[in-house]
Amino acid sequence: MRTFDLSPLYRTAIGFDRLAQMFDNAQRADQPSYPPYNIELVAEDKYRITMAVAGFARSEIDIETENETLKITGRKQKEDKQVNFLHRGIAARDFEQRFQLANHIKVVGANLENGLLNIELVREIPEALKPRKIEIGAVEDSNVQRLERAA
């Protein structure tokens, strides 16, 4: 696999260090594959992450967001009794899975049902950043005053 040196960008671009860090993290081969998960586009601005967490109780799973990162952690409680397995095919190990969220993506809910953890996300773009239609010939008063002062 190729590695890219992004250090020249640091000299001329300010505030893109997070983007470079995302590239670095994406190139790492040690990304966790347990537990398996799906990412769905439910509607135009709605997403769902579904994780297979069979054997985990609600109290053993933590979901938190910080700095546009969604972190899902599963910590299996130790059983009091010793079990003698003839075959152990169900993984009951601890996990931590991280997802990098885009700007304005919010977690709106989570549900655990039938061994599947569903996390609902929505993109909430602030009104100031939404595209708006400008009517031709319509000039706001504040813009007119600025133009008159500049002249």
Side-chain angles (χ1 to χ4, degrees):
M1 177 179 271
R2 292 183 178 161
T3 57
F4 298 100
D5 181 20
L6 300 174
S7 57
L9 290 176
Y10 294 130
R11 290 188 298 239
T12 58
I14 298 171
F16 288 96
D17 50 340
R18 182 170 169 256
L19 181 64
Q21 182 183 14
M22 286 174 48
F23 281 128
D24 289 341
N25 290 340
Q27 288 179 349
R28 293 191 183 132
D30 61 345
Q31 296 295 323
S33 62
Y34 175 78
Y37 62 88
N38 295 334
I39 301 175
E40 304 172 55
L41 176 62
V42 178
E44 183 177 346
D45 288 328
K46 294 183 181 180
Y47 304 88
R48 179 181 299 128
I49 298 173
T50 304
M51 298 183 77
V53 292
F56 282 86
R58 293 180 203 280
S59 61
E60 298 172 328
I61 299 174
D62 289 323
I63 303 170
E64 60 185 50
T65 59
E66 182 180 358
N67 296 332
E68 297 175 351
T69 299
L70 171 65
K71 182 172 82 168
I72 302 139
T73 308
R75 301 280 179 244
K76 197 71 176 145
Q77 295 177 356
K78 304 300 179 203
E79 294 184 15
D80 295 337
K81 60 181 181 174
Q82 185 67 16
V83 180
N84 187 15
F85 289 102
L86 297 177
H87 171 76
R88 186 167 189 161
I90 299 173
R93 61 183 184 258
D94 296 347
F95 68 88
E96 182 177 295
Q97 187 68 259
R98 293 178 185 260
F99 297 93
Q100 192 67 38
L101 302 178
N103 291 337
H104 314 297
I105 297 288
K106 306 287 184 227
V107 177
V108 293
N111 182 19
L112 180 63
E113 186 176 341
N114 298 328
L116 295 175
L117 175 66
N118 293 305
I119 302 169
E120 305 294 331
L121 303 116
V122 66
R123 179 181 303 149
E124 295 177 350
I125 300 174
E127 219 34 63
L129 298 178
K130 288 183 180 178
R132 60 186 179 107
K133 187 166 181 87
I134 308 298
E135 295 293 330
I136 298 175
V139 179
E140 293 181 14
D141 291 336
S142 60
N143 289 338
V144 171
Q145 292 173 356
R146 277 189 234 143
L147 290 175
E148 290 173 355
R149 278 188 256 158

